[in-house]
């Protein structure tokens, strides 16, 4: 068995280096890589990956989520849901202070909700079902919904709903507030220094509300723009942690074999990144379902997983990743079958019209994947023209619907109502947006299923609805699902307990300690 | 001379403004804008969000109005605000400029010093093995892509020999001060500066060699020889000095190119300079920041060219400044 496949299997099985039940040790400094350099650290204003990775240490949400996506206490110590599933009551931890010493109270939660509705597109969508938010006392917050919303308890992690200090932001211009560049949160680490282009330094919060935590004294996030240089920095011992996606995939097997190196694929359950090809359903041959199905049969996704992604990840079966709620693999299957693809193309009357393919400008791995897919599609007779763009140019083309096939990968946020439905319901079709239903798929039955699924109770009813939706979608192939991606975290084995939740390194290093 | 400098500065300002206007339109020709990029990164996008961002960036205003606002800012030395990085552009550039100047000026000095030295030797021993060896050496570094030389340098000097640090400007967390800090920065500087310097060295070597061989054939060199001057004096005072004019011209032109080369060098060595800032700003369509970097780079090129003109006069006193 090729080594990379073995590595993938080990990761898929969650097998990492043995972690013995040891007493955590206090102290020490961890050097981790951050790539690319975040544009800012204020999570309420900037929501890209690197920002969350650093700021997940500074800010906190009301909840965090286990690898099985069960809610766990963070700033809220307990919560309850009313019988009609419309009222959610959160009891906040007492004795929590902001990094500047001011107490964290329900007023901060109310303010954060209002601010995020203005500045955080995903939070605004997540809060769309909220009728009102009230604070009966300083440590209780009550969300009242317009109607039951199944995934509501899943929207409170730090990146989706970071708590913001009211006393520093109220009445200010959010975008130019000086605290954007010296953020103040309640998290286990405090912002200390940002040498632009070099590093970001966080130091231990001595007044953190979980006694004894965090264990580490400091975290340095090293900014190293070149992927090869990041690998070298790890090899030469200058950094201890390479979060998922820090190095090119072809470097992963080599680095994994280095002495005292541990690798884990855990910590992506909440995000469950799923890669697929947008297929422009509106025009040309791709408007025909049979051509879209032919594309699914024509692409060798096992090859992509084993060779391009070095055995990491899993071949996708449909619109939901296997790690999120209500996933089913009881859907039509599309194994690699070029003959079937050719037959379907013939049946659909495809006559060699040119089809434009937009790869994703996210580095070498994606470039290679674009080439492999092009080869697969040309092998069955599809006339592919690759359009090279950078990320901004690609986003513009997708937003303008000016493409035929385009690579993407998106997070699923644990629940089909949060991260799946938006890609297929017709109400999410609108020119100018980079995500959501950019393929132009429209099916009233799917619209209804996703609308019902979001508000249905109990859970079994939601399961039934989403399983049905998955079957219909996989039959219709509005987009071509490729892989459930896995971004392994590579670290020195002396770094213990780095990943303890389904949010992984994006959830802060509060449990991590160094076995010196 | 003063009126010459004043005239050149005035012309420089006009050129700078022309560059601003041209770049303003050029970067808007690229598909995608900052709103699209940020919406893409946010993991969610709807029309309201993108519209909100455009309003925030002032991109909803008509293009001429955007240009007017920008030029007005530049004239009053205000380079605008980077909404992406939530900081004034001047501050962002100011933080990075010293590192780039340190890198490019060191590389410039290395390339010029080594280039002239090797070129002189190659000319002095033209046609010999030494000449061929120098030419081949110089061309190897010229022919190899910068990033490749950089990576090979890292592999050899950081990974295999463990002599030099592979990335960064200083040892993070070491909190060094004074001489120890200067030595630490110098250690970090060696590889990036040599990578960039060796690349440009080749052209100076070739130019110095060719120019010296040409000057050598001129009558005044024969005269000097007839006067009985030593070979070293002839080479240094008569040949090299007269051969330097084209090298100085080239150096002036290179001042701009160096910053271009610094983009790659800074990326591979994680050197926190302006080159990388410019590259990121381009990918993220951070218009104000990108224009700001262009303004500063253009100003630097204009200043370097002015210095070049002044150096002409030092090298060749026959040249007079037109008033």
């Amino acid at each position: 068995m090729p080594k990379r496949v073995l590595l993938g299997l080990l990761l898929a099985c969650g097998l990492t280096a043995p972690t013995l039940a040891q007493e955590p040790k206090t102290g020490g400094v961890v050097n981790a890589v951050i790539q690319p350099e975040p544009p800012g650290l204020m999570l309420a204003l900037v929501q890209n990956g690197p920002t969350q990775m650093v700021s997940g240490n500074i800010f906190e949400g009301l909840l965090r989520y286990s690898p099985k996506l069960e809610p766990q206490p963070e700033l809220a110590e307990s919560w309850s849901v009313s019988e009609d599933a419309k009222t959610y009551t959160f009891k906040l931890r007492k004795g929590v202070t902001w990094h500047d010493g001011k107490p964290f109270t329900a007023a901060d939660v109310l303010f954060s909700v209002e601010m995020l509705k203005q500045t955080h597109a995903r939070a605004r969508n997540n809060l769309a079902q909220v009728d009102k938010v009230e604070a009966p006392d300083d440590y209780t917050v009550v969300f009242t919904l317009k109607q039951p919303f199944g995934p509501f308890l899943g929207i409170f992690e730090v990146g989706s709903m970071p708590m913001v200090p009211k006393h520093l932001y109220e009445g200010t211009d959010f975008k130019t507030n000086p605290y954007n560049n010296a953020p103040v949160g309640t998290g286990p680490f405090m912002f200390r220094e940002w040498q632009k282009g070099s590093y970001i330094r966080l130091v231990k919060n001595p007044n953190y509300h979980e006694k004894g935590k965090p264990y580490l004294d400091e975290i340095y996030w090293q900014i190293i723009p070149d992927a090869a240089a990041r690998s070298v920095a790890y090899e030469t011992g200058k950094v201890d942690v390479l979060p998922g996606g820090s190095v090119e995939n072809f470097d992963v097997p080599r680095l994994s074999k280095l002495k005292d190196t541990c690798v884990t694929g855990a910590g992506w359950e909440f995000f469950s990144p799923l890669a697929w090809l947008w297929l422009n359903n509106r025009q040309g041959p791709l408007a025909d379902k049979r051509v879209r199905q032919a594309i699914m049969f024509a692409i060798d996704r096992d090859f992509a997983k084993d060779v391009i992604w070095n055995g990491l990840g899993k071949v996708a079966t449909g619109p939901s990743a296997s790690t999120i709620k209500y996933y089913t693999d009881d859907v039509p299957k599309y194994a690699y079958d070029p003959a079937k693809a050719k037959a379907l193309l013939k049946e659909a009357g495809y006559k060699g019209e040119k089809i434009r393919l937009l790869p994703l400008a996210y580095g070498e791995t994606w470039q290679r994947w674009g080439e492999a897919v092009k080869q697969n599609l040309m092998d069955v007779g599809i006339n592919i023209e690759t359009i090279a763009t950078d990320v901004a140019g690609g986003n513009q083309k997708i937003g303008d619907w000016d493409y035929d096939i385009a690579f993407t990968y998106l997070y699923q946020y644990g629940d089909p109502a949060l991260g799946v439905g938006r890609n297929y319901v017709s109400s999410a079709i609108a020119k100018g947006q980079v995500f959501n239903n950019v393929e132009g798929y429209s099916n009233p039955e799917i619209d209804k299923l996703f609308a019902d699924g979001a508000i249905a109770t109990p859970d079994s009813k939601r399961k039934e609805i989403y399983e049905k939706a998955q079957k219909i979608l996989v039959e219709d192939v509005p987009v071509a699902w490729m892989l459930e991606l896995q971004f392994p975290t590579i670290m020195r084995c002396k770094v213990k307990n780095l990943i303890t939740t389904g949010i992984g390194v994006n959830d802060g290093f509060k449990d991590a300690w160094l076995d010196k | 001379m003063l009126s010459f400098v004043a005239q050149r500065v005035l012309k420089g300002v006009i050129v700078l403004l022309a560059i601003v206007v041209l770049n303003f339109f050029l970067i808007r020709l690229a598909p995608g804008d900052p709103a699209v990029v940020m919406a893409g990164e946010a993991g969610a996008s709807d029309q309201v969000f993108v519209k909100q961002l455009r309003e925030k960036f002032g991109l909803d205003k008509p293009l001429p109005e955007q240009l007017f606002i920008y030029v007005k800012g530049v004239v009053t030395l205000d380079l605008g605000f980077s909404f992406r990085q939530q900081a004034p552009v001047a501050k962002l550039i100011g933080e990075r400029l010293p590192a780039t100047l340190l890198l490019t000026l060191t590389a410039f000095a290395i390339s010029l010093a080594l280039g002239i030295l090797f070129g002189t030797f190659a000319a002095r021993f033209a046609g010999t093995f030494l000449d061929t060896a120098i030419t081949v050496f110089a061309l190897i570094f010229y022919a190899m892509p910068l990033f490749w030389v950089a990576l090979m340098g890292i592999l050899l000097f950081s990974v295999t020999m463990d002599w030099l640090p592979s990335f960064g400007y200083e040892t993070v967390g070491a909190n060094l001060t004074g001489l120890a800090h200067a030595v630490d920065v110098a250690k970090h500087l060696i590889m990036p500066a040599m990578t960039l310097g060796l690349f440009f060295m080749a052209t100076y070597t070739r130019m110095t060699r060719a120019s010296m061989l040409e000057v050598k054939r001129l009558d005044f060199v024969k005269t000097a020889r007839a006067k009985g001057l030593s070979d070293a004096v002839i080479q240094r005072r008569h040949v090299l000095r007269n051969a330097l004019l084209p090298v100085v011209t080239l150096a002036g032109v290179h001042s701009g190119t160096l910053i271009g080369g610094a983009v790659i060098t800074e990326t591979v060595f994680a050197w926190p300079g302006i080159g990388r800032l410019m590259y990121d700003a381009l990918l993220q369509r951070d218009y104000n920041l990108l224009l700001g970097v262009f303004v500063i780079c253009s100003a630097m090129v204009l200043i370097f060219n002015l210095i070049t003109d002044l150096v002409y006069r030092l090298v060749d006193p026959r040249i007079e400044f037109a008033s």
Side-chain angles (χ1 to χ4, degrees):
Chain A
M1 184 184 293
K3 278 177 188 157
R4 54 180 174 254
V5 177
L6 181 64
L7 173 72
L9 280 176
L10 286 173
L11 289 171
C13 300
L15 291 178
T16 60
T19 317
L20 301 171
Q22 286 171 281
E23 194 63 29
K25 292 174 185 160
T26 305
V29 177
V30 161
N31 283 281
V33 153
I34 189 73
Q35 161 56 29
E37 183 168 19
L41 292 178
M42 180 48 185
L43 255 184
L45 297 177
V46 191
Q47 290 99 41
N48 71 2
T51 299
Q52 176 159 1
M53 209 173 275
V54 177
S55 297
N57 290 285
I58 302 169
F59 293 98
E60 289 181 298
L62 292 183
L63 302 175
R64 61 204 305 226
Y65 301 95
S66 72
K68 289 188 173 162
L69 306 181
E70 295 140 343
Q72 295 180 332
E74 181 101 299
L75 285 171
E77 60 182 6
S78 65
W79 53 94
S80 59
V81 187
S82 67
E83 274 200 10
D84 65 357
K86 282 165 72 175
T87 308
Y88 288 73
T89 306
F90 291 86
K91 290 283 178 193
L92 305 182
R93 271 184 213 266
K94 288 179 181 153
V96 177
T97 54
W98 295 99
H99 294 157
D100 62 1
K102 297 274 190 308
F104 164 78
T105 66
D108 291 307
V109 181
L110 263 52
F111 174 76
S112 300
V113 167
E114 284 314 307
M115 178 172 168
L116 293 168
K117 277 192 204 165
Q118 296 174 46
T119 60
H120 193 310
R122 196 152 51 79
R124 184 171 47 216
N125 293 339
N126 290 346
L127 291 165
Q129 297 299 335
V130 174
D131 182 31
K132 57 184 177 186
V133 194
E134 293 159 305
D137 62 59
D138 272 357
Y139 296 99
T140 308
V141 178
V142 181
F143 288 84
T144 310
L145 309 189
K146 296 171 194 159
Q147 54 188 340
F149 183 50
F152 193 67
L153 267 184
I155 67 165
F156 292 99
E157 72 60 64
V158 58
S160 306
M161 207 189 291
M163 289 299 117
V164 184
K166 181 184 176 186
H167 63 284
L168 299 178
Y169 276 85
E170 191 177 33
T172 67
D173 178 1
F174 298 151
K175 63 179 186 287
T176 55
N177 187 307
Y179 290 100
N180 293 343
N181 286 315
V184 172
T186 58
F189 291 91
M190 304 188 295
F191 173 80
R192 178 54 57 88
E193 188 186 10
W194 184 352
Q195 285 286 334
K196 292 276 169 82
S198 290
Y199 62 87
I200 299 167
R201 181 182 171 206
L202 307 181
V203 297
K204 177 180 186 156
N205 174 5
N207 303 315
Y208 189 57
H209 52 79
E210 284 185 52
K211 289 291 163 249
K213 289 184 184 175
Y215 304 109
L216 301 171
D217 288 335
E218 295 185 30
I219 306 169
Y220 279 97
W221 291 96
Q222 303 275 5
I223 298 152
I224 309 172
D226 184 68
R230 289 193 288 276
S231 296
V232 169
Y234 182 81
E235 280 183 271
T236 53
K238 299 291 186 292
V239 299
D240 312 303
V241 178
L242 294 170
S246 299
V247 293
E248 292 290 0
N249 268 304
F250 49 74
D251 260 349
V252 171
R254 187 172 63 82
L255 295 175
S256 306
K257 277 183 269 172
L258 293 178
K259 202 169 156 253
D260 296 328
T261 293
C262 288
V263 187
T264 176
W268 288 94
E269 296 82 359
F270 179 76
F271 301 103
S272 298
L274 186 71
W276 67 77
L277 303 175
W278 294 117
L279 304 175
N280 197 338
N281 288 212
R282 298 174 187 83
Q283 61 201 27
L286 296 179
D288 190 321
K289 183 168 94 178
R290 291 166 296 185
V291 176
R292 301 199 299 267
Q293 288 172 334
I295 288 174
M296 284 295 277
F297 283 119
I299 296 174
D300 188 351
R301 296 176 295 160
D302 281 305
F303 170 85
K305 186 190 79 153
D306 292 339
V307 177
I308 296 165
W309 288 88
N310 290 95
L312 302 172
K314 193 174 168 193
V315 170
T317 56
S320 281
S322 58
T323 36
I324 74 161
K325 284 180 181 167
Y326 319 121
Y327 163 81
T328 178
D329 63 358
D330 181 18
V331 291
K333 300 284 188 297
Y334 295 92
Y336 175 52
D337 190 344
K340 205 161 182 176
K342 280 181 191 165
L344 276 165
L345 288 172
K346 198 174 169 193
E347 192 187 316
Y350 174 69
K351 296 201 173 54
E353 295 94 327
K354 191 188 284 172
I355 289 181
R356 296 162 301 166
L357 170 71
L358 221 61
L360 200 51
Y362 280 0
E364 197 65 29
T365 303
W366 292 90
Q367 204 60 41
R368 292 179 184 194
W369 202 1
E371 287 160 13
V373 163
K374 179 181 181 180
Q375 189 62 49
N376 279 160
L377 295 177
M378 286 176 70
D379 285 347
V380 296
I382 300 180
N383 179 11
I384 293 287
E385 181 195 13
T386 306
I387 309 283
T389 64
D390 63 356
V391 176
N395 284 352
Q396 181 79 51
K397 280 186 180 295
I398 291 172
D400 288 345
W401 307 340
D402 180 20
Y403 73 96
D404 295 316
I405 302 179
F407 271 87
T408 194
Y409 83 91
L410 283 178
Y411 291 163
Q412 303 217 315
Y413 303 111
D415 193 291
L418 300 179
V420 180
R422 61 180 178 163
N423 302 307
Y424 308 104
V425 295
S426 50
S427 59
I429 300 176
K431 218 167 190 172
Q433 51 186 16
V434 186
F435 303 134
N436 304 336
N437 188 344
V438 298
E439 78 274 17
Y441 173 73
S442 183
N443 179 345
E445 195 180 0
I446 283 293
D447 292 350
K448 185 166 182 335
L449 285 170
F450 276 104
D452 292 348
I455 58 172
T457 47
D459 243 23
S460 55
K461 179 82 183 147
R462 295 192 73 205
K463 185 171 186 291
E464 193 184 308
I465 291 172
Y466 286 125
E467 286 184 355
K468 190 171 175 199
Q470 287 173 68
K471 277 180 199 161
I472 296 171
L473 284 171
V474 177
E475 169 64 27
D476 279 359
V477 194
V479 306
W481 302 282
M482 297 280 109
L483 296 178
E484 294 178 23
L485 300 178
Q486 199 174 65
F487 301 114
T489 301
I490 300 172
M491 62 198 143
R492 309 246 174 256
C493 294
K494 66 175 180 180
V495 183
K496 307 285 185 195
N497 253 6
L498 184 69
I499 292 167
T500 51
T501 68
I503 306 156
V505 280
N506 288 320
D507 203 20
F509 287 12
K510 78 168 165 186
D511 300 314
W513 55 279
L514 274 178
D515 192 8
K516 289 169 281 185
Chain B
M1 180 176 151
L2 270 179
S3 78
F4 167 79
V5 174
Q7 263 194 18
R8 287 294 304 268
V9 169
L10 188 69
K11 277 184 193 163
V13 171
I14 295 168
V15 170
L16 204 58
L17 277 177
I19 290 172
V20 167
V21 174
L22 188 68
N23 282 329
F24 180 88
F25 289 109
L26 268 182
I27 62 175
R28 277 165 174 78
L29 283 180
D33 67 18
V36 167
V37 177
M38 282 181 74
E41 288 171 348
S45 87
D46 51 42
Q47 283 178 315
V48 182
F49 186 59
V50 174
K51 190 167 168 274
Q52 210 178 38
L53 287 175
R54 290 217 169 99
E55 277 167 16
K56 202 164 93 173
F57 298 148
L59 296 173
D60 56 330
K61 297 188 172 77
L63 215 51
E65 193 183 336
Q66 289 182 40
L67 175 66
F68 178 73
I69 293 170
Y70 189 76
V71 173
K72 204 173 88 182
V74 172
V75 170
T76 55
L77 299 180
D78 173 11
L79 292 176
F81 194 83
S82 162
F83 287 103
R84 186 178 167 81
Q85 306 221 18
Q86 294 156 15
V89 168
K91 180 174 175 281
L92 291 170
I93 296 177
E95 285 169 348
R96 302 286 193 98
L97 197 56
T100 290
L101 286 178
L102 180 64
L103 171 63
T104 47
L105 291 179
T106 312
F108 192 56
I110 289 172
S111 61
L112 212 51
L114 291 182
I116 293 173
L117 184 73
F118 286 146
T120 309
F121 272 103
R124 173 72 184 77
F125 300 102
T128 66
F129 172 75
L130 185 67
D131 178 24
T132 315
I134 288 174
T135 306
V136 169
F137 175 74
L139 285 180
I140 282 176
F141 284 101
Y142 190 67
M144 279 201 288
L146 268 175
F147 73 90
W148 180 252
V149 177
L151 287 174
M152 291 303 107
I154 289 175
L155 208 57
L156 188 62
F157 297 109
S158 296
V159 179
T160 311
M161 299 190 187
D162 199 18
W163 285 356
L164 296 169
S166 65
F167 72 96
Y169 175 81
E170 59 192 338
T171 307
V172 172
N175 297 322
L176 299 170
T177 51
L179 186 65
H181 183 246
V183 171
D184 184 47
V185 172
K187 270 174 118 177
H188 283 81
L189 177 65
I190 292 174
M191 270 208 287
M194 285 301 282
T195 307
L196 196 54
L198 287 175
F199 179 78
F200 286 99
M201 175 199 74
T203 43
Y204 295 129
T205 306
R206 302 291 295 159
M207 183 63 86
T208 308
R209 180 185 179 277
S211 183
M212 279 185 78
L213 288 178
E214 203 159 300
V215 174
K216 244 179 167 175
R217 287 199 295 267
L218 298 179
D219 288 344
F220 70 87
V221 179
K222 282 183 197 146
T223 312
R225 211 172 292 268
K227 276 198 305 187
L229 290 179
S230 72
D231 188 52
V233 172
I234 294 173
Q235 293 291 342
R236 201 175 61 239
R237 280 201 211 148
H238 295 274
V239 182
L240 180 61
R241 188 158 180 186
N242 281 293
L244 275 185
L245 273 183
V247 178
V248 172
T249 311
L250 196 65
V253 174
H254 271 171
S255 59
T257 326
L258 261 171
I259 293 174
V263 176
I264 298 165
T265 318
E266 287 178 3
T267 303
V268 179
F269 291 103
W271 189 262
I274 209 174
R276 181 69 203 179
L277 190 70
M278 175 165 69
Y279 181 68
D280 285 343
L282 174 67
L283 287 188
Q284 292 148 359
R285 305 288 191 269
D286 192 343
Y287 292 155
N288 281 356
L289 182 54
L290 193 57
L291 279 172
V293 177
F294 285 162
V295 168
I296 297 297
C297 290
S298 312
M300 275 166 58
V301 171
L302 290 171
I303 292 168
F304 276 123
N305 275 292
L306 179 60
I307 294 172
T308 311
D309 286 348
L310 296 176
V311 171
Y312 274 152
R313 165 110 179 134
L314 289 179
V315 176
D316 188 347
R318 287 170 303 178
I319 295 174
E320 285 185 12
F321 297 119
S323 56

